[in-house]
Amino acid sequence: MKIGLIFIVLVPASLAAAAANQLSVISFGRADQDALTRAYYNAFGQSTGIEVKSFSYDGQTTELEQMVRSGKPEWDVIQVESRTLQQGCEQGLFERLDISKIGQPNDFIRGTVSDCGVGIFAWSLALVYSDRLKAAPRSWADFWDLKKYPGKRGLRRSAKYTLEIALLADGVAPADVYPMLATEAGVVRAFRKLDQIKSDTIWWEAAAQPGAQLSAGNLVMSSAYTLWFDPEQPRNEHFKIAWDKSLYDVDSWAIVKGSPRLPEAYRFIAFASGPERQKVLSERLPYGPTNKKALPLLRADLAQSLPSSEANLSRALKVDTAFWIAHGETLEKRFDAWAPAICRQQTDDDEDDYRERPACQDVQGHMRINDGGKTHSSLHKQGEADAN
């Protein structure tokens, strides 16, 4: 899962051919790199004598495609998001896996084993709220209850995830969400539901924003990536997660097509998919293990706070990658035309900061309107109208 961070460590254009006792593993260069190293890379080397040469990439597949087409790939195992995994599998960038060389399919949570990939961890987007609310929201239906839960709420400014949430809030069963979104009537229903809270919503784009907005008191609740609300962190003391009908997806391991170290690659993924190693990762980062046998190895309170716990997973909706590959471009354009633009300048010192667009939403959820070179807040304009 790439979550809006900037990657600054990239794979060199050409890696020297690795020795027989080395394996190249490519992953996203972000904050969890250290956790992956401790949970998997170092331990695999110590256990097998095969040194893991780890490098990071930004999620783009241009270099991967060039390697595979040349027939001389220098990468062996790669971390990929679901979209990249599905498209890369169809394009012949990854090996078709023999799951028997990795583990038993029934040991993994649903949706984490595919033709070309095995889930590394599960991540989730759920309802996060401040415990300073008089009553605790439990569902997306509560998210829409402005009377019982007054205040601004936050949603990701994208069709993906937000349209699913709207239908779930409107009473659509998880199993029916994507079939409904594939119809015009379903899309209209989702936007109609969003219209109900449009003026009470602050839109976010980066993963860190819901936490910052909740801390600042600008939001009372928000959709958010649960990774950013680790209950072990003191900063999250007053934030709670409502897991009912959360959305989840996985990052996966894939083997680069034509890897000259295919046996070693299988051996690494089997090692990393074991419950003992996945336990170590979840103890360092609140990702959900994909191997169900890892959960009983964790502290009960920690296991219960992860996306793949039995209780949380049983109520969750698996993000449908194939749906978004097929419909994403159309729905994102439609959503972008419907949702307010976000102001890129967020200071109140100079109203000129907001002249970049005819109208945009500031960090507090106010609409900044540019009328002939003068900007003002729609909140102030409404106050003037009321006074008259």
mmCIF file of all heavy atoms in Angstrom, residues 253-286:
data_model
loop_
_atom_site.group_PDB
_atom_site.id
_atom_site.type_symbol
_atom_site.label_atom_id
_atom_site.label_comp_id
_atom_site.label_asym_id
_atom_site.label_seq_id
_atom_site.Cartn_x
_atom_site.Cartn_y
_atom_site.Cartn_z
ATOM 1 N N TRP A 253 3.779 -10.409 -2.308
ATOM 2 C CA TRP A 253 5.042 -10.803 -2.913
ATOM 3 C C TRP A 253 4.752 -11.405 -4.277
ATOM 4 O O TRP A 253 3.823 -12.186 -4.447
ATOM 5 C CB TRP A 253 5.755 -11.865 -2.077
ATOM 6 C CG TRP A 253 6.213 -11.491 -0.711
ATOM 7 C CD1 TRP A 253 5.858 -12.102 0.464
ATOM 8 C CD2 TRP A 253 7.149 -10.474 -0.356
ATOM 9 N NE1 TRP A 253 6.496 -11.513 1.528
ATOM 10 C CE2 TRP A 253 7.304 -10.513 1.052
ATOM 11 C CE3 TRP A 253 7.860 -9.508 -1.084
ATOM 12 C CZ2 TRP A 253 8.142 -9.635 1.736
ATOM 13 C CZ3 TRP A 253 8.687 -8.629 -0.401
ATOM 14 C CH2 TRP A 253 8.835 -8.698 0.988
ATOM 15 N N ALA A 254 5.576 -11.068 -5.260
ATOM 16 C CA ALA A 254 5.521 -11.700 -6.572
ATOM 17 C C ALA A 254 6.948 -12.034 -6.989
ATOM 18 O O ALA A 254 7.898 -11.387 -6.530
ATOM 19 C CB ALA A 254 4.868 -10.778 -7.597
ATOM 20 N N ILE A 255 7.107 -13.035 -7.830
ATOM 21 C CA ILE A 255 8.427 -13.414 -8.352
ATOM 22 C C ILE A 255 8.537 -12.875 -9.774
ATOM 23 O O ILE A 255 7.667 -13.099 -10.608
ATOM 24 C CB ILE A 255 8.614 -14.939 -8.348
ATOM 25 C CG1 ILE A 255 8.515 -15.483 -6.914
ATOM 26 C CG2 ILE A 255 9.966 -15.306 -8.958
ATOM 27 C CD1 ILE A 255 8.592 -17.006 -6.831
ATOM 28 N N VAL A 256 9.598 -12.156 -10.028
ATOM 29 C CA VAL A 256 9.814 -11.567 -11.345
ATOM 30 C C VAL A 256 9.978 -12.680 -12.380
ATOM 31 O O VAL A 256 10.718 -13.645 -12.163
ATOM 32 C CB VAL A 256 11.046 -10.649 -11.332
ATOM 33 C CG1 VAL A 256 11.346 -10.111 -12.727
ATOM 34 C CG2 VAL A 256 10.837 -9.503 -10.346
ATOM 35 N N LYS A 257 9.282 -12.542 -13.491
ATOM 36 C CA LYS A 257 9.334 -13.546 -14.555
ATOM 37 C C LYS A 257 10.775 -13.726 -15.043
ATOM 38 O O LYS A 257 11.470 -12.762 -15.374
ATOM 39 C CB LYS A 257 8.457 -13.103 -15.727
ATOM 40 C CG LYS A 257 8.378 -14.095 -16.872
ATOM 41 C CD LYS A 257 7.588 -15.339 -16.459
ATOM 42 C CE LYS A 257 7.368 -16.251 -17.665
ATOM 43 N NZ LYS A 257 6.608 -17.468 -17.301
ATOM 44 N N GLY A 258 11.219 -14.973 -15.072
ATOM 45 C CA GLY A 258 12.559 -15.274 -15.548
ATOM 46 C C GLY A 258 13.647 -15.120 -14.514
ATOM 47 O O GLY A 258 14.834 -15.163 -14.858
ATOM 48 N N SER A 259 13.268 -14.960 -13.248
ATOM 49 C CA SER A 259 14.293 -14.847 -12.204
ATOM 50 C C SER A 259 15.236 -16.050 -12.265
ATOM 51 O O SER A 259 14.784 -17.203 -12.291
ATOM 52 C CB SER A 259 13.642 -14.804 -10.815
ATOM 53 O OG SER A 259 14.599 -15.062 -9.800
ATOM 54 N N PRO A 260 16.553 -15.812 -12.273
ATOM 55 C CA PRO A 260 17.504 -16.934 -12.320
ATOM 56 C C PRO A 260 17.631 -17.642 -10.972
ATOM 57 O O PRO A 260 18.307 -18.663 -10.869
ATOM 58 C CB PRO A 260 18.818 -16.254 -12.708
ATOM 59 C CG PRO A 260 18.679 -14.861 -12.177
ATOM 60 C CD PRO A 260 17.229 -14.512 -12.335
ATOM 61 N N ARG A 261 16.955 -17.088 -9.968
ATOM 62 C CA ARG A 261 17.031 -17.680 -8.627
ATOM 63 C C ARG A 261 15.629 -18.088 -8.159
ATOM 64 O O ARG A 261 15.212 -17.765 -7.054
ATOM 65 C CB ARG A 261 17.681 -16.678 -7.652
ATOM 66 C CG ARG A 261 19.176 -16.485 -7.931
ATOM 67 C CD ARG A 261 19.737 -15.265 -7.249
ATOM 68 N NE ARG A 261 19.264 -14.046 -7.889
ATOM 69 C CZ ARG A 261 19.814 -13.508 -8.981
ATOM 70 N NH1 ARG A 261 20.836 -14.104 -9.556
ATOM 71 N NH2 ARG A 261 19.336 -12.399 -9.503
ATOM 72 N N LEU A 262 14.934 -18.790 -9.018
ATOM 73 C CA LEU A 262 13.554 -19.171 -8.742
ATOM 74 C C LEU A 262 13.423 -20.019 -7.473
ATOM 75 O O LEU A 262 12.546 -19.736 -6.631
ATOM 76 C CB LEU A 262 12.970 -19.910 -9.945
ATOM 77 C CG LEU A 262 11.457 -20.159 -9.929
ATOM 78 C CD1 LEU A 262 10.687 -18.858 -9.860
ATOM 79 C CD2 LEU A 262 11.040 -20.941 -11.183
ATOM 80 N N PRO A 263 14.240 -21.039 -7.253
ATOM 81 C CA PRO A 263 14.103 -21.822 -6.013
ATOM 82 C C PRO A 263 14.307 -20.970 -4.770
ATOM 83 O O PRO A 263 13.589 -21.134 -3.770
ATOM 84 C CB PRO A 263 15.193 -22.900 -6.149
ATOM 85 C CG PRO A 263 15.450 -23.012 -7.618
ATOM 86 C CD PRO A 263 15.283 -21.623 -8.149
ATOM 87 N N GLU A 264 15.284 -20.070 -4.815
ATOM 88 C CA GLU A 264 15.551 -19.209 -3.662
ATOM 89 C C GLU A 264 14.391 -18.226 -3.435
ATOM 90 O O GLU A 264 14.043 -17.908 -2.303
ATOM 91 C CB GLU A 264 16.853 -18.435 -3.860
ATOM 92 C CG GLU A 264 18.108 -19.289 -3.832
ATOM 93 C CD GLU A 264 18.414 -19.938 -5.176
ATOM 94 O OE1 GLU A 264 17.643 -19.729 -6.140
ATOM 95 O OE2 GLU A 264 19.430 -20.663 -5.262
ATOM 96 N N ALA A 265 13.787 -17.770 -4.536
ATOM 97 C CA ALA A 265 12.656 -16.850 -4.417
ATOM 98 C C ALA A 265 11.469 -17.544 -3.747
ATOM 99 O O ALA A 265 10.820 -16.980 -2.852
ATOM 100 C CB ALA A 265 12.258 -16.335 -5.805
ATOM 101 N N TYR A 266 11.179 -18.768 -4.179
ATOM 102 C CA TYR A 266 10.113 -19.530 -3.532
ATOM 103 C C TYR A 266 10.430 -19.742 -2.042
ATOM 104 O O TYR A 266 9.546 -19.630 -1.182
ATOM 105 C CB TYR A 266 9.944 -20.888 -4.210
ATOM 106 C CG TYR A 266 8.900 -20.923 -5.298
ATOM 107 C CD1 TYR A 266 9.261 -21.048 -6.638
ATOM 108 C CD2 TYR A 266 7.545 -20.850 -4.985
ATOM 109 C CE1 TYR A 266 8.305 -21.098 -7.647
ATOM 110 C CE2 TYR A 266 6.579 -20.907 -5.984
ATOM 111 C CZ TYR A 266 6.966 -21.016 -7.306
ATOM 112 O OH TYR A 266 6.005 -21.058 -8.289
ATOM 113 N N ARG A 267 11.663 -20.051 -1.776
ATOM 114 C CA ARG A 267 12.066 -20.312 -0.396
ATOM 115 C C ARG A 267 11.870 -19.064 0.472
ATOM 116 O O ARG A 267 11.413 -19.158 1.614
ATOM 117 C CB ARG A 267 13.527 -20.753 -0.373
ATOM 118 C CG ARG A 267 13.984 -21.361 0.944
ATOM 119 C CD ARG A 267 15.397 -21.916 0.799
ATOM 120 N NE ARG A 267 15.881 -22.463 2.053
ATOM 121 C CZ ARG A 267 17.101 -22.939 2.244
ATOM 122 N NH1 ARG A 267 17.960 -22.964 1.225
ATOM 123 N NH2 ARG A 267 17.465 -23.410 3.418
ATOM 124 N N PHE A 268 12.186 -17.892 -0.087
ATOM 125 C CA PHE A 268 12.013 -16.656 0.668
ATOM 126 C C PHE A 268 10.531 -16.376 0.948
ATOM 127 O O PHE A 268 10.150 -16.059 2.076
ATOM 128 C CB PHE A 268 12.610 -15.459 -0.088
ATOM 129 C CG PHE A 268 12.266 -14.140 0.544
ATOM 130 C CD1 PHE A 268 12.943 -13.690 1.664
ATOM 131 C CD2 PHE A 268 11.225 -13.363 0.031
ATOM 132 C CE1 PHE A 268 12.605 -12.483 2.269
ATOM 133 C CE2 PHE A 268 10.883 -12.153 0.629
ATOM 134 C CZ PHE A 268 11.576 -11.716 1.750
ATOM 135 N N ILE A 269 9.695 -16.500 -0.081
ATOM 136 C CA ILE A 269 8.273 -16.195 0.123
ATOM 137 C C ILE A 269 7.645 -17.177 1.104
ATOM 138 O O ILE A 269 6.822 -16.801 1.949
ATOM 139 C CB ILE A 269 7.518 -16.201 -1.223
ATOM 140 C CG1 ILE A 269 8.049 -15.074 -2.119
ATOM 141 C CG2 ILE A 269 6.021 -16.029 -0.998
ATOM 142 C CD1 ILE A 269 7.409 -15.029 -3.495
ATOM 143 N N ALA A 270 8.036 -18.452 1.029
ATOM 144 C CA ALA A 270 7.532 -19.444 1.993
ATOM 145 C C ALA A 270 7.950 -19.059 3.406
ATOM 146 O O ALA A 270 7.149 -19.147 4.349
ATOM 147 C CB ALA A 270 8.046 -20.834 1.632
ATOM 148 N N PHE A 271 9.193 -18.620 3.563
ATOM 149 C CA PHE A 271 9.698 -18.205 4.867
ATOM 150 C C PHE A 271 8.924 -16.989 5.378
ATOM 151 O O PHE A 271 8.460 -16.955 6.532
ATOM 152 C CB PHE A 271 11.183 -17.869 4.739
ATOM 153 C CG PHE A 271 11.835 -17.409 6.016
ATOM 154 C CD1 PHE A 271 12.344 -18.332 6.925
ATOM 155 C CD2 PHE A 271 11.958 -16.056 6.296
ATOM 156 C CE1 PHE A 271 12.950 -17.906 8.101
ATOM 157 C CE2 PHE A 271 12.557 -15.623 7.465
ATOM 158 C CZ PHE A 271 13.057 -16.550 8.367
ATOM 159 N N ALA A 272 8.760 -15.990 4.517
ATOM 160 C CA ALA A 272 8.081 -14.757 4.918
ATOM 161 C C ALA A 272 6.585 -14.959 5.141
ATOM 162 O O ALA A 272 5.940 -14.154 5.820
ATOM 163 C CB ALA A 272 8.297 -13.684 3.854
ATOM 164 N N SER A 273 6.022 -16.022 4.587
ATOM 165 C CA SER A 273 4.596 -16.292 4.747
ATOM 166 C C SER A 273 4.299 -17.143 5.976
ATOM 167 O O SER A 273 3.126 -17.417 6.267
ATOM 168 C CB SER A 273 4.055 -17.000 3.497
ATOM 169 O OG SER A 273 4.222 -16.201 2.350
ATOM 170 N N GLY A 274 5.331 -17.558 6.669
ATOM 171 C CA GLY A 274 5.133 -18.361 7.875
ATOM 172 C C GLY A 274 4.561 -17.536 9.014
ATOM 173 O O GLY A 274 4.825 -16.335 9.124
ATOM 174 N N PRO A 275 3.764 -18.139 9.886
ATOM 175 C CA PRO A 275 3.123 -17.379 10.966
ATOM 176 C C PRO A 275 4.106 -16.722 11.919
ATOM 177 O O PRO A 275 3.854 -15.609 12.390
ATOM 178 C CB PRO A 275 2.257 -18.437 11.673
ATOM 179 C CG PRO A 275 2.831 -19.764 11.271
ATOM 180 C CD PRO A 275 3.376 -19.560 9.892
ATOM 181 N N GLU A 276 5.224 -17.374 12.193
ATOM 182 C CA GLU A 276 6.178 -16.800 13.151
ATOM 183 C C GLU A 276 6.773 -15.503 12.630
ATOM 184 O O GLU A 276 6.944 -14.536 13.383
ATOM 185 C CB GLU A 276 7.295 -17.802 13.451
ATOM 186 C CG GLU A 276 6.832 -19.076 14.154
ATOM 187 C CD GLU A 276 6.249 -20.104 13.194
ATOM 188 O OE1 GLU A 276 6.299 -19.858 11.955
ATOM 189 O OE2 GLU A 276 5.720 -21.127 13.663
ATOM 190 N N ARG A 277 7.095 -15.450 11.327
ATOM 191 C CA ARG A 277 7.682 -14.229 10.774
ATOM 192 C C ARG A 277 6.634 -13.134 10.628
ATOM 193 O O ARG A 277 6.903 -11.956 10.859
ATOM 194 C CB ARG A 277 8.333 -14.504 9.408
ATOM 195 C CG ARG A 277 9.414 -15.571 9.397
ATOM 196 C CD ARG A 277 10.316 -15.561 10.608
ATOM 197 N NE ARG A 277 10.886 -14.235 10.916
ATOM 198 C CZ ARG A 277 11.527 -13.959 12.030
ATOM 199 N NH1 ARG A 277 11.676 -14.901 12.967
ATOM 200 N NH2 ARG A 277 12.016 -12.751 12.238
ATOM 201 N N GLN A 278 5.415 -13.498 10.240
ATOM 202 C CA GLN A 278 4.365 -12.491 10.118
ATOM 203 C C GLN A 278 4.008 -11.907 11.480
ATOM 204 O O GLN A 278 3.640 -10.732 11.586
ATOM 205 C CB GLN A 278 3.140 -13.085 9.434
ATOM 206 C CG GLN A 278 3.388 -13.401 7.965
ATOM 207 C CD GLN A 278 2.114 -13.484 7.152
ATOM 208 O OE1 GLN A 278 1.003 -13.434 7.667
ATOM 209 N NE2 GLN A 278 2.271 -13.598 5.841
ATOM 210 N N LYS A 279 4.125 -12.707 12.508
ATOM 211 C CA LYS A 279 3.915 -12.205 13.868
ATOM 212 C C LYS A 279 4.886 -11.072 14.170
ATOM 213 O O LYS A 279 4.503 -10.030 14.721
ATOM 214 C CB LYS A 279 4.101 -13.340 14.881
ATOM 215 C CG LYS A 279 4.246 -12.904 16.340
ATOM 216 C CD LYS A 279 4.501 -14.092 17.234
ATOM 217 C CE LYS A 279 4.759 -13.683 18.689
ATOM 218 N NZ LYS A 279 6.079 -13.012 18.844
ATOM 219 N N VAL A 280 6.139 -11.248 13.785
ATOM 220 C CA VAL A 280 7.153 -10.226 14.054
ATOM 221 C C VAL A 280 6.799 -8.923 13.351
ATOM 222 O O VAL A 280 6.926 -7.830 13.922
ATOM 223 C CB VAL A 280 8.547 -10.724 13.620
ATOM 224 C CG1 VAL A 280 9.586 -9.609 13.760
ATOM 225 C CG2 VAL A 280 8.955 -11.940 14.450
ATOM 226 N N LEU A 281 6.344 -9.008 12.102
ATOM 227 C CA LEU A 281 5.989 -7.790 11.372
ATOM 228 C C LEU A 281 4.829 -7.062 12.047
ATOM 229 O O LEU A 281 4.870 -5.840 12.230
ATOM 230 C CB LEU A 281 5.624 -8.121 9.927
ATOM 231 C CG LEU A 281 5.291 -6.894 9.067
ATOM 232 C CD1 LEU A 281 6.536 -6.043 8.828
ATOM 233 C CD2 LEU A 281 4.676 -7.304 7.732
ATOM 234 N N SER A 282 3.788 -7.796 12.437
ATOM 235 C CA SER A 282 2.616 -7.164 13.047
ATOM 236 C C SER A 282 2.927 -6.584 14.420
ATOM 237 O O SER A 282 2.231 -5.669 14.874
ATOM 238 C CB SER A 282 1.459 -8.167 13.153
ATOM 239 O OG SER A 282 0.972 -8.514 11.868
ATOM 240 N N GLU A 283 3.946 -7.090 15.078
ATOM 241 C CA GLU A 283 4.356 -6.513 16.355
ATOM 242 C C GLU A 283 5.072 -5.185 16.161
ATOM 243 O O GLU A 283 5.150 -4.380 17.094
ATOM 244 C CB GLU A 283 5.261 -7.493 17.105
ATOM 245 C CG GLU A 283 4.511 -8.682 17.684
ATOM 246 C CD GLU A 283 5.444 -9.721 18.299
ATOM 247 O OE1 GLU A 283 6.639 -9.752 17.921
ATOM 248 O OE2 GLU A 283 4.964 -10.500 19.159
ATOM 249 N N ARG A 284 5.574 -4.961 14.963
ATOM 250 C CA ARG A 284 6.304 -3.715 14.686
ATOM 251 C C ARG A 284 5.436 -2.687 13.975
ATOM 252 O O ARG A 284 5.621 -1.483 14.157
ATOM 253 C CB ARG A 284 7.552 -4.012 13.854
ATOM 254 C CG ARG A 284 8.583 -4.828 14.617
ATOM 255 C CD ARG A 284 9.870 -5.010 13.862
ATOM 256 N NE ARG A 284 10.871 -5.668 14.697
ATOM 257 C CZ ARG A 284 11.629 -5.056 15.584
ATOM 258 N NH1 ARG A 284 11.530 -3.747 15.734
ATOM 259 N NH2 ARG A 284 12.506 -5.724 16.307
ATOM 260 N N LEU A 285 4.518 -3.153 13.156
ATOM 261 C CA LEU A 285 3.596 -2.272 12.442
ATOM 262 C C LEU A 285 2.202 -2.905 12.481
ATOM 263 O O LEU A 285 2.079 -4.122 12.329
ATOM 264 C CB LEU A 285 4.034 -2.085 10.989
ATOM 265 C CG LEU A 285 5.277 -1.223 10.727
ATOM 266 C CD1 LEU A 285 5.669 -1.318 9.263
ATOM 267 C CD2 LEU A 285 5.036 0.221 11.122
ATOM 268 N N PRO A 286 1.156 -2.100 12.651
ATOM 269 C CA PRO A 286 -0.193 -2.669 12.780
ATOM 270 C C PRO A 286 -0.824 -3.093 11.467
ATOM 271 O O PRO A 286 -1.949 -2.726 11.145
ATOM 272 C CB PRO A 286 -0.977 -1.522 13.445
ATOM 273 C CG PRO A 286 -0.303 -0.291 12.962
ATOM 274 C CD PRO A 286 1.158 -0.645 12.873
#
